[in-house]
Amino acid sequence: MSIPFSKRPLAILALLTLALTGCNDAPEQDAQAPAPQVRVETVQLQAMAISTELSGRILAPRTAEVRARVAGVVLKRVYREGSDVKQGDVLFLIDPAPFKADHDSARAALAKAEATLYQARLQEQRYRELVDDKAVSRQEYDNARAAFLQADAQVAEARAALERARLNLGYATVTAPISGRVGRALVTEGALVGQNETTALAVIQQLDPIHADVTQSTRDLNALRRAMRAGELQQVGQDQARATLIQDDGSAYPLPGKLLFSDISVDPSTNQITLRSEFPNPDLDLLPGSYVRVRLEQALQPKGISVPQRAILRDSAGVPKVLVVDAQQRIEERQVVLGNAQGDRWIVSEGLAPGERVVIEGLQHVKVGDQVRVDADKAANPIVQRNGQ
């Protein structure tokens, strides 16, 4: 519908009035917009365990290669492959016939030597009595005495040969040198073993408890030592150092372990040192050779500060920062220096003071200088806290 030319100025005036009214309403609507809501965590000083996550391999504490100690033909495999065996259990039987024959021959040789000794002893005793009466010459008595000593030595030699034959006969029955789980057989019945070498027959490994060997760079280890000497950290006793094994899916192994020792030499090819921890393994979930990660407690920070990882922001240069709420409920930005990550939290070495409120939720809705509403406060929750320390 067209507007008459005479009424057009009035229509334009009405439109301008509506536009100005709308502009005046916008500031009122902005003024009524609620302040963004954030959740904060109050910074607290608490004793925290400084842990380091390291990678390595699972190793059996004791591994024994069962080998043939005598040459012969394997008659039978007695054990079941993959089963648990005890020390002394029979594993293989080697044909004992030749060793039984050697044993009988050695026993007969001993009996012959003992008979010769008996005869030489009697003759030496007779000549000893006769030489005083000068019925025999001194030379004849000396010969009888030498024959007696020689016969005595032959008896000792025959006894040693019999003992060797007895050992060889016993070695024909191959037993487990240690208790543990035995793997597959490396030979089958009918195999000739021990011919000019000690043939490996099977491998036994102890799996409960089990070891985890991990490596740590000497740079990180020296940094910990310097912090301890400076009084910033306290050393955790080796018997008190806790170890947590991280499984393939990222979850923690349910049974805690302990640190056994740190190696005293550095691998020259990697400039790393080996640390060994021990874990219970009753269900044999941990198998030798598996790649694992272990979280070790290596020091204690008596008065430490930590924040959730989600509270950390980084600028374009990668510098870590956090947002804090001041006393006037306004947002401030703080640059921080981070230490190690402890689970889902960062250790903060510089940049925060006790009592400050760090924004942990709602960071994407606020900026520096904004007035905010603070949700229910959340206390700091470090990964580990030791009472009395």
Side-chain angles (χ1 to χ4, degrees):
M1 181 180 66
S2 61
I3 301 175
F5 181 79
S6 60
K7 296 182 179 181
R8 286 182 181 179
L10 295 176
I12 293 173
L13 181 61
L15 291 175
L16 290 174
T17 302
L18 291 175
L20 291 174
T21 302
C23 293
N24 292 333
D25 290 343
E28 295 178 0
Q29 294 176 358
D30 291 344
Q32 295 175 358
Q37 183 174 341
V38 295
R39 175 164 293 191
V40 300
E41 178 178 296
T42 302
V43 175
Q44 298 179 8
L45 291 178
Q46 297 191 14
M48 295 180 295
I50 305 301
S51 60
T52 307
E53 193 168 299
L54 306 171
S55 59
R57 297 282 179 180
I58 293 293
L59 295 176
R62 299 177 69 189
T63 301
E65 288 188 349
V66 182
R67 293 182 175 270
R69 305 177 70 174
V70 291
V73 177
V74 177
L75 294 182
K76 185 179 180 181
R77 172 176 56 83
V78 179
Y79 76 96
R80 181 171 57 87
E81 293 176 310
S83 63
D84 292 325
V85 296
K86 295 182 179 180
Q87 184 177 2
D89 287 353
V90 178
L91 303 180
F92 294 91
L93 295 178
I94 298 175
D95 185 7
F99 310 110
K100 180 66 167 58
D102 292 342
H103 181 270
D104 293 343
S105 176
R107 185 166 55 184
L110 175 60
K112 181 179 179 180
E114 288 176 341
T116 303
L117 175 62
Y118 175 74
Q119 182 182 14
R121 182 185 295 111
L122 291 178
Q123 187 173 6
E124 190 271 339
Q125 291 174 353
R126 292 192 191 99
Y127 277 31
R128 187 191 310 159
E129 297 172 356
L130 295 175
V131 73
D132 294 336
D133 299 334
K134 300 193 183 297
V136 295
S137 65
R138 191 70 186 182
Q139 181 64 46
E140 289 176 318
Y141 170 73
D142 291 342
N143 292 340
R145 178 66 180 173
F148 167 70
L149 295 176
Q150 184 176 7
D152 187 56
Q154 289 174 347
V155 168
E157 182 180 4
R159 283 176 179 165
L162 177 61
E163 180 64 18
R164 169 59 65 184
R166 186 188 66 80
L167 289 174
N168 289 338
L169 180 59
Y171 291 155
T173 302
V174 182
T175 59
I178 63 173
S179 300
R181 174 154 294 193
V182 61
R184 62 183 180 87
L186 303 180
V187 296
T188 59
E189 291 81 357
L192 177 62
V193 297
Q195 193 69 27
N196 300 325
E197 62 180 3
T198 55
T199 307
L201 306 180
V203 177
I204 301 176
Q205 299 182 92
Q206 287 188 352
L207 302 179
D208 185 26
I210 203 162
H211 290 167
D213 281 9
V214 296
T215 56
Q216 184 177 24
S217 68
T218 54
R219 181 185 61 182
D220 294 342
L221 195 59
N222 291 333
L224 276 174
R225 290 171 177 170
R226 285 193 296 268
M228 291 176 188
R229 294 190 185 103
E232 300 173 2
L233 301 177
Q234 294 180 0
Q235 185 174 4
V236 177
Q238 182 169 299
D239 296 337
Q240 300 175 341
R242 302 174 187 175
T244 303
L245 189 143
I246 310 301
Q247 302 182 106
D248 295 338
D249 58 356
S251 62
Y253 184 65
L255 301 177
K258 61 181 179 179
L259 179 65
L260 293 183
F261 67 87
S262 300
D263 207 347
I264 59 175
S265 59
V266 178
D267 187 342
S269 60
T270 61
N271 201 32
Q272 293 183 329
I273 193 170
T274 299
L275 297 89
R276 172 167 292 177
S277 53
E278 183 181 78
F279 293 89
N281 192 27
D283 299 326
L284 305 185
D285 294 330
L286 306 177
L287 298 178
S290 302
Y291 174 82
V292 293
R293 289 175 294 135
V294 176
R295 187 180 298 126
L296 291 174
E297 292 184 11
Q298 295 183 288
L300 182 68
Q301 190 167 9
K303 297 180 180 180
I305 293 176
S306 69
V307 296
Q309 290 189 3
R310 64 180 184 273
I312 300 298
L313 302 174
R314 295 184 184 272
D315 59 17
S316 58
V319 177
K321 300 179 180 180
V322 296
L323 299 180
V324 299
V325 179
D326 61 14
Q328 287 74 38
Q329 304 294 85
R330 293 189 178 278
I331 296 294
E332 293 183 359
E333 185 179 76
R334 297 289 176 79
Q335 182 175 324
V336 294
V337 177
L338 301 180
N340 294 329
Q342 306 294 313
D344 61 347
R345 304 180 69 84
W346 280 107
I347 302 280
V348 178
S349 56
E350 294 180 16
L352 289 177
E356 292 188 312
R357 296 180 293 174
V358 177
V359 179
I360 60 173
E361 292 182 10
L363 290 87
Q364 66 275 17
H365 303 305
V366 296
K367 62 183 183 296
V368 176
D370 285 353
Q371 187 88 23
V372 295
R373 291 183 298 117
V374 177
D375 200 352
D377 193 14
K378 183 178 180 182
N381 182 27
I383 299 302
V384 177
Q385 178 178 357
R386 296 182 183 271
N387 295 327
Q389 296 187 5

